[in-house]
Amino acid sequence: MGLNDFQKQKIKFTFDFFLDYNKDGSIQWEDFEEMIKRYKEVNKGSLSDADYKSMQASLEDEWRDLKGRADINKDDVVSWEEYLAMWEKTIATCKSVADLPAWCQSRIPFLFKGMDVSGDGIVDLEEFQNYCKNFQLQCADVPAVYNVITDGGKVNFDLARYKELYYRLLTSPSADAGNTLMGQKP
């Protein structure tokens, strides 16, 4: 069974927002380099040289894994069509975060760190507001979205919660709490 239109829309969001940084309609190594620059700017120097080198090495591994899974014609460019085809295969067998591609799993802590600017392991409302603003998410009611993320204040927005939401963003066939990572209420 293929992906429904809503799932394709969410996968397109991940393609455009998380990967195609230069907005040319494809993913290339240059997008990953731009990603590093953007996160350094957003985190305003909170990335140490060691963090930067670790992030770069991790992104190089991610790029190799992503290319290996999605670059069907081996031209060192992942098109939207190739990316979608990869996700159609992946989601068909994906039952948990552990089933996501390695490149995707290694990206989760990196993306979380981009939100958790204070480095305390918890994304608070102010950090989430800054994330929505800095990454130009169309979020009409940030406090309401954050309330969904924290289940009305019952859970912390920590790395474990981020992993859960990221998995749901990628795999859920309908609107749910995973949409909050796009700045939207379910």
Side-chain angles (χ1 to χ4, degrees):
M1 185 168 152
L3 302 177
N4 66 36
D5 288 342
F6 184 71
Q7 286 174 301
K8 289 177 185 177
Q9 176 187 350
K10 292 192 308 179
I11 297 299
K12 180 69 169 145
F13 171 82
T14 67
F15 181 89
D16 292 339
F17 183 76
F18 292 123
L19 295 165
D20 183 16
Y21 269 73
N22 65 9
K23 307 300 179 213
D24 68 352
S26 64
I27 306 166
Q28 302 165 57
W29 172 245
E30 291 77 19
D31 291 300
F32 285 78
E33 291 174 322
E34 184 61 33
M35 188 183 316
I36 293 169
K37 284 189 229 171
R38 181 81 183 265
Y39 270 83
K40 283 178 82 171
E41 290 169 11
V42 168
N43 288 310
K44 296 179 179 46
S46 66
L47 289 176
S48 68
D49 287 342
D51 285 339
Y52 176 78
K53 287 178 182 170
S54 174
M55 182 186 304
Q56 185 163 2
S58 176
L59 289 175
E60 288 169 358
D61 290 343
E62 286 181 36
W63 174 236
R64 279 191 293 279
D65 189 47
L66 173 59
K67 274 193 328 184
R69 292 173 183 271
D71 186 16
I72 296 166
N73 62 5
K74 306 298 182 208
D75 63 353
D76 288 334
V77 175
V78 176
S79 69
W80 159 242
E81 293 78 14
E82 289 172 319
Y83 186 73
L84 180 61
M86 178 205 64
W87 277 111
E88 286 176 331
K89 286 186 235 168
T90 300
I91 290 174
T93 60
C94 194
K95 305 292 183 226
S96 72
V97 173
D99 296 328
L100 292 172
W103 71 267
C104 193
Q105 289 183 51
S106 65
R107 168 173 296 276
I108 292 171
F110 168 67
L111 293 172
F112 179 77
K113 186 173 179 119
M115 282 188 183
D116 181 26
V117 178
S118 69
D120 66 358
I122 305 290
V123 175
D124 61 30
L125 176 58
E126 183 179 346
E127 288 172 319
F128 186 67
Q129 285 174 317
N130 288 334
Y131 161 79
C132 290
K133 178 182 169 196
N134 290 334
F135 289 98
Q136 301 169 353
L137 293 176
Q138 304 301 317
C139 187
D141 189 353
V142 174
V145 172
Y146 188 80
N147 193 49
V148 171
I149 290 170
T150 63
D151 194 17
K154 295 177 194 162
V155 296
N156 285 326
F157 189 12
D158 58 9
L159 181 58
R161 179 67 171 159
Y162 187 87
K163 284 180 183 180
E164 174 191 347
L165 295 173
Y166 193 72
Y167 172 77
R168 289 165 66 175
L169 169 66
L170 294 171
T171 63
S172 176
S174 59
D176 72 6
N179 293 2
T180 59
L181 296 183
M182 298 188 302
Q184 300 172 4
K185 293 189 283 186

